[in-house]
């Protein structure tokens, strides 16, 4: 295959979220387009050890087998069950829960695109649902973006250098640019979850917010939110205890930028939890004309 005429320019390694654009993330950063990629003809639930590289995937993917990498690909399903995720690491579901993958999953330098589906189908869908590593992807066209939910008890989770935008709502949908709904440490105290150097825009009109952390499914701890630009409606960063669970004592928000639109930059809902963010430092309202985007300090929630 000939190299693309325009090889693209990825964002430099470690670029903060306010430096990300559609042109320097996902396929565009490598001079690629969805329509130019060959069609993926493999299974929707690939086996462990699979690498999907440089493909146009027109079906939803179930990566429950673990040990799977998706890179420089376009995941743009043309058919999907209503509210189903475009990509999930979840396995078979019972009445109250779904099985969790036992192996790592990585999705990088790719586009995850819900534009081929109607808003009614996609408004309640996550681009990614489960636990894994997502790096340098361009994510658009679905109801919610990166959903770390049903993360299990052992694996780390990482969202780094992704640009989430162009999300869609319908009816009474509740849309998140990204969300964490469980991340317990009871069986692995050293596991970590990080949102680092992402740009996340939730501007659908039905916005919970850019990054919504809520203990809906289980306790949550060891989370670092650093170097992100959080945009859109609702509150741009929410931290909530509830549903019989609590966030822990190692929740850190460092060097983020907020547009301050919607209801404002950030809030905490303790619901009986005695503590708030363990670290809240160098967080600012974004000013594109100020050095390093530092407008006024974002008030400690």
């Amino acid at each position: 295959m000939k190299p693309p005429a325009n090889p693209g320019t990825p964002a430099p390694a470690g670029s903060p979220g306010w430096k990300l654009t559609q042109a320097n993330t996902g396929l565009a950063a490598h001079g690629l387009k969805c329509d130019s990629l060959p069609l993926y003809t493999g299974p929707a639930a690939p086996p462990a050890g699979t690498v999907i590289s440089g493909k146009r995937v027109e079906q939803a993917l179930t990566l429950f087998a673990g040990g799977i990498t998706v890179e420089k690909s376009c995941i743009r399903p043309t058919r999907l069950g209503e509210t189903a995720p475009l990509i999930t690491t979840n396995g078979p579901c019972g009445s109250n829960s779904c099985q969790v993958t036992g192996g790592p999953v990585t999705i990088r330098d790719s586009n995850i695109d819900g534009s081929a589906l109607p808003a009614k189908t996609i408004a309640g869908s996550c681009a990614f649902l489960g636990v894994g590593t997502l790096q340098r992807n361009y994510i658009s066209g679905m109801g919610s973006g990166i959903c770390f939910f049903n993360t299990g008890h052992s694996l780390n989770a990482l969202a780094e250098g992704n640009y989430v935008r162009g999300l869609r709502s319908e009816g009474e949908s509740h849309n998140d640019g990204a969300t964490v709904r469980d991340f317990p440490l009871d069986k692995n105290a050293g596991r970590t979850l990080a949102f680092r150097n992402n740009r996340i825009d939730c501007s659908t009109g039905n916005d919970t917010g850019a990054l919504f952390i809520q203990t809906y499914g289980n306790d949550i701890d060891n989370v670092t939110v650093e170097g992100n630009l959080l945009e859109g409606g609702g509150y741009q960063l929410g931290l909530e205890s509830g549903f019989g669970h609590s966030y822990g004592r190692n929740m850190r928000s460092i060097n983020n930028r907020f547009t301050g639109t919607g209801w404002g930059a950030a809030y905490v809902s303790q619901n009986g939890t005695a503590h708030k963010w363990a670290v809240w430092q160098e967080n600012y309202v974004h000013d594109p004309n100020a050095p390093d985007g530092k407008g006024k300090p974002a008030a400690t929630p």
Side-chain angles (χ1 to χ4, degrees):
M1 181 182 294
K2 293 182 179 180
N6 176 11
T9 305
S15 295
W18 48 97
K19 299 290 186 181
L20 300 185
T21 67
Q22 185 175 351
N24 65 17
T25 52
L27 293 175
H30 301 277
L32 300 171
K33 297 181 179 179
C34 283
D35 292 331
S36 67
L37 299 177
L39 180 65
Y40 170 75
T41 57
T50 296
V51 176
I52 300 173
S53 183
K55 299 294 186 181
R56 185 179 78 256
V57 183
E58 295 188 346
Q59 58 187 321
L61 291 175
T62 298
L63 308 182
F64 172 66
I68 297 171
T69 297
V70 179
E71 62 183 12
K72 294 183 181 177
S73 293
C74 176
I75 299 87
R76 188 175 61 187
T78 57
R79 298 176 63 183
L80 192 71
E82 193 168 313
T83 75
L86 280 71
I87 305 171
T88 186
T89 60
N90 289 346
C93 298
S95 57
N96 296 315
S97 63
C98 298
Q99 294 181 31
V100 179
T101 182
V105 167
T106 298
I107 303 166
R108 61 193 180 207
D109 302 308
S110 296
N111 285 18
I112 309 176
D113 184 350
S115 65
L117 297 157
K120 185 176 187 298
T121 297
I122 209 75
S125 297
C126 294
F128 174 88
L129 177 66
V131 60
T133 295
L134 287 83
Q135 294 174 299
R136 304 179 299 276
N137 301 293
Y138 179 73
I139 299 170
S140 65
M142 62 292 298
S144 296
I146 300 168
C147 302
F148 288 138
F149 189 11
N150 199 39
T151 62
H153 297 267
S154 60
L155 296 171
N156 295 332
L158 172 65
E160 181 177 47
N162 304 284
Y163 185 12
V164 179
R165 64 171 297 277
L167 301 176
R168 298 153 68 197
S169 63
E170 174 79 9
E172 297 183 0
S173 64
H174 297 270
N175 303 107
D176 312 314
T179 188
V180 182
R181 300 301 178 94
D182 58 60
F183 199 74
L185 306 184
D186 54 333
K187 297 181 180 178
N188 180 5
R191 70 191 301 228
T192 60
L193 187 155
F195 280 91
R196 184 172 290 115
N197 298 334
N198 303 282
R199 182 175 180 180
I200 304 175
D201 182 359
C202 190
S203 301
T204 71
N206 289 356
D207 308 305
T208 304
L211 177 51
F212 179 52
I213 303 172
Q214 181 195 64
T215 59
Y216 176 80
N218 208 325
D219 295 341
I220 296 172
D221 204 358
N222 280 5
V223 175
T224 298
V225 180
E226 182 174 10
N228 304 282
L229 172 59
L230 303 178
E231 307 177 83
Y235 281 102
Q236 274 114 51
L237 178 59
L239 178 62
E240 289 192 4
S241 281
F243 302 94
H245 308 295
S246 178
Y247 57 82
R249 295 183 178 277
N250 192 28
M251 306 290 289
R252 300 155 55 88
S253 177
I254 302 166
N255 194 36
N256 298 290
R257 304 290 179 270
F258 307 89
T259 56
T261 50
W263 296 328
Y267 77 98
V268 173
S269 181
Q270 293 173 272
N271 287 325
T273 300
H275 48 277
K276 296 185 177 183
W277 289 98
V279 178
W280 178 274
Q281 66 185 40
E282 293 295 307
N283 296 302
Y284 296 90
V285 174
H286 184 237
D287 181 350
N289 298 313
D292 204 23
K294 291 182 179 180
K296 64 180 181 180
T300 304

